[in-house]
Amino acid sequence: MSKLQNLGEFEQIVLLAILRLKESAYGVSIRAEIFECTGRKTTSGALYTTLERLEGKGYLSSRVGEPTPERGGRAKRYYRISASGLDAIVRAQRTYRCLMDGLELAGGSHA
Amino acid sequence: MPRPAIAEGLLSLVTTPDRAASIVGDLVEESRSHGLGWCSLQVLGTALALCSSSVRADPWRWLRLAVIGLVVWFGAQAVMVVVTGLPWYPWQLAFRAPGFWVRVASIACGANLLTGLILGRWASNERLNGVVPLVAFWLVVSFTSPLLVWLFFHAGSPNPAFPYHHWLVWALRALLSLFYSLVLVLGGSLARPRADGAHAATTR
């Protein structure tokens, strides 16, 4: 069993948000994207530990942008999904789809 | 955010300085739509989350760093005793030595600062500042050791001579550990290199 499949739910959400944001994925925009898509308010602690963990696993890479005055002279750290990260999210989503296949949830009480 | 430099210093203890700078930058950017309480909670929450994530990722590394920290701390104490010229034996002689309390305070401050500087510099390339495991060790041991000693040796047979019966001794011990921790953190922060490229003076 490959380690690539070991993605938690929040890790998948973060990776998908970064994928959606393309080149402009940094802390604030990732958090805003997650809120917009899921309605979930993410704490900084949860977000940055997940980003560090995903980077440690090699699923993300990061680069430092230019410092800006509105951030008190501090630079943004932009995140980008790596090939192994993309592979991991595709595998995780495929697993979900496989499990969902044949289940008729659309007309259920939670639809 | 009222004091980003303090937040950056705190986060630099548990992640690299450039990452700490970018996290604080994000919080500064978001602080316009949130209050002071929210920002403070986010900084503390992020520091604790990164700290616990680091422990869970490699608890043996934490233990190793704490042991190394203790060895350095004892070495720094010995150096400071020699530097201050405090006679350490017999104790009666030490108490009678001129400026005894000044020398003891110098040893306490100097040894912790020196330990912080050494550990901070030694682990300067790591995400975790080298002083953090030692600080965590001091805090845990100082707050729990009187309780453990009391539970194992004196529960059920109260001994009035036992020093930890008095809450004041316990409180002083806890305060002493907090003081040690603050000086260690100061030393560790001073030794840690500043964020390179992630934090620069900009003009409007």
Side-chain angles (χ1 to χ4, degrees), chain B residues 116-180:
Chain B
L117 287 168
I118 292 169
L119 293 176
R121 174 60 62 188
W122 176 65
S124 61
N125 293 327
E126 306 236 358
R127 285 196 179 178
L128 187 75
N129 191 313
V131 297
V132 177
L134 183 60
V135 167
F137 174 82
W138 271 131
L139 292 176
V140 170
V141 167
S142 300
F143 280 91
T144 57
S145 62
L147 180 69
L148 289 175
V149 171
W150 184 78
L151 282 175
F152 281 110
F153 297 105
H154 293 269
S157 59
N159 175 7
F162 185 60
Y164 293 134
H165 277 197
H166 205 293
W167 66 269
L168 191 63
V169 176
W170 201 330
L172 281 175
R173 190 177 171 139
L175 281 176
L176 190 67
S177 78
L178 283 177
F179 169 73
Y180 277 13

Side-chain angles (χ1 to χ4, degrees), chain B:
Chain B
M1 182 177 276
R3 296 192 187 279
I6 293 175
E8 205 176 315
L10 181 68
L11 289 170
S12 293
L13 294 172
V14 287
T15 190
T16 53
D18 60 322
R19 279 171 201 278
S22 62
I23 292 172
V24 172
D26 288 351
L27 292 173
V28 167
E29 198 178 325
E30 288 187 281
S31 64
R32 288 181 207 98
S33 53
H34 297 92
L36 165 66
W38 180 87
C39 286
S40 308
L41 276 177
Q42 295 300 312
V43 171
L44 285 176
T46 306
L48 285 174
L50 288 170
C51 199
S52 68
S53 160
S54 161
V55 176
R56 274 184 277 120
D58 195 352
W60 291 112
R61 185 167 152 266
W62 263 68
L63 193 65
R64 203 168 56 240
L65 282 173
V67 170
I68 292 168
L70 271 178
V71 171
V72 172
W73 186 80
F74 279 114
Q77 293 277 345
V79 168
M80 286 307 296
V81 167
V82 172
V83 168
T84 56
L86 187 74
W88 62 277
Y89 185 83
W91 294 109
Q92 295 88 331
L93 194 62
F95 278 117
R96 283 194 215 112
F100 171 75
W101 290 110
V102 174
R103 292 195 206 191
V104 167
S106 307
I107 291 170
C109 292
N112 283 295
L113 192 66
L114 186 61
T115 307
L117 287 168
I118 292 169
L119 293 176
R121 174 60 62 188
W122 176 65
S124 61
N125 293 327
E126 306 236 358
R127 285 196 179 178
L128 187 75
N129 191 313
V131 297
V132 177
L134 183 60
V135 167
F137 174 82
W138 271 131
L139 292 176
V140 170
V141 167
S142 300
F143 280 91
T144 57
S145 62
L147 180 69
L148 289 175
V149 171
W150 184 78
L151 282 175
F152 281 110
F153 297 105
H154 293 269
S157 59
N159 175 7
F162 185 60
Y164 293 134
H165 277 197
H166 205 293
W167 66 269
L168 191 63
V169 176
W170 201 330
L172 281 175
R173 190 177 171 139
L175 281 176
L176 190 67
S177 78
L178 283 177
F179 169 73
Y180 277 13
S181 303
L182 282 175
V183 181
L184 275 169
V185 164
L186 178 69
S189 302
L190 287 174
R192 194 97 150 150
R194 292 270 298 163
D196 186 24
H199 186 294
T202 52
T203 50
R204 282 180 190 274

